[in-house]
Amino acid sequence: METVFILDDDISLRESLEMLITVAGWHAETFARADEFFARPPADDAACLILDIELPDLNGLDVQKRVSSMQETMPVIFITGHGDIPMSVRAMKAGAVEFLTKPFPADALLDAVRDAIERSRAARKREAERRGLRERYSLLTPREREVMSLVVSGLLNKQIGYELGASEITIKAHRGRVMRKMQAASLADLVRMADSLELPIVHPTMNALNA
């Protein structure tokens, strides 16, 4: 279930936000300290964090930085009792969904949560796709990985064969296995996968290009 985490040392605010979030249909979990929040296992569904900028144990911007590195699919919504423009700019540049100054309208917070949950859902989908790509790529043999890199570089089978010292028929067979293992529907699909995997660009020799 989609979860909204609330990290604020003000117990009355935590309780009121928990009720607001629960009534809106999300699961809510509250924390008074950053160490309590980070001790919790990672969320297993779309989630976001409502975060006070001032905490007793850690600055909110530092919490945001740790969340970005450890749970990058969890967007952050900042709440603060101080209208600090430079701080809000830093938070937004670091990827915060919203920066709300207390007291803020309930609708403004709920709109921010909806946006954050949608971003989290999309980010988790992208991460799942990348994970699936990495798993499929791991099934390729070293030779198939070489062929894939050269295929997405735009070389023809004959040119790849020249580069790798193999026959065109052999390269065609390797290429077919790469397409099947990667579940690529087309060359454009395979290129997109290579880009997502951040595979290094292969620069073939001039002789291969002229083959």
Side-chain angles (χ1 to χ4, degrees):
M1 184 179 184
E2 297 162 345
T3 301
V4 178
F5 297 101
I6 301 164
L7 178 50
D8 194 301
D9 61 344
D10 184 336
I11 186 171
S12 61
L13 182 59
R14 287 201 310 274
E15 290 176 346
S16 63
L17 290 180
E18 181 178 18
M19 182 176 295
L20 177 67
I21 294 302
T22 301
V23 170
W26 295 292
H27 174 65
E29 291 188 26
T30 66
F31 305 88
R33 297 173 56 88
D35 56 1
E36 296 173 353
F37 169 70
F38 286 116
R40 185 199 183 282
D44 55 9
D45 201 347
C48 69
L49 172 63
I50 298 175
L51 175 62
D52 189 4
I53 200 73
E54 296 291 342
L55 296 168
D57 58 337
L58 195 62
N59 179 273
L61 293 173
D62 292 329
V63 172
Q64 180 189 26
K65 187 180 299 183
R66 285 185 60 181
V67 168
S68 297
S69 63
M70 297 169 58
Q71 304 178 52
E72 60 181 15
T73 62
M74 183 184 296
V76 172
I77 300 166
F78 274 106
I79 56 176
T80 179
H82 316 286
D84 190 325
I85 294 178
M87 191 174 292
S88 66
V89 170
R90 286 176 59 193
M92 299 301 283
K93 283 185 176 180
V97 173
E98 186 59 273
F99 196 99
L100 300 172
T101 302
K102 305 172 187 175
F104 45 80
D107 287 348
L109 179 65
L110 292 177
D111 286 344
V113 169
R114 290 188 190 95
D115 185 14
I117 290 293
E118 184 57 37
R119 291 191 194 189
S120 178
R121 190 182 296 116
R124 291 179 69 87
K125 181 180 179 181
R126 289 192 299 271
E127 178 55 34
E129 291 173 348
R130 284 195 297 267
R131 186 165 56 249
L133 280 178
R134 290 192 293 267
E135 290 172 355
R136 297 200 294 276
Y137 185 72
S138 71
L139 299 177
L140 300 183
T141 66
R143 176 60 88 185
E144 288 166 352
R145 293 182 186 184
E146 289 179 317
V147 170
M148 177 175 172
S149 294
L150 291 167
V151 166
V152 299
S153 296
L155 270 68
L156 303 175
N157 291 343
K158 180 181 178 181
Q159 296 170 322
I160 296 172
Y162 188 93
E163 184 77 11
L164 300 180
S167 69
E168 186 174 349
I169 293 176
T170 298
I171 296 302
K172 185 176 180 180
H174 282 311
R175 183 171 182 158
R177 285 193 290 272
V178 167
M179 297 293 285
R180 287 193 298 275
K181 288 183 178 181
M182 294 302 296
Q183 300 175 20
S186 63
L187 175 57
D189 199 18
L190 193 66
V191 171
R192 180 189 62 78
M193 293 177 179
D195 184 58
S196 181
L197 289 166
E198 299 181 347
L199 298 185
I201 297 175
V202 175
H203 299 286
T205 62
M206 288 302 299
N207 287 335
L209 292 173
N210 295 326

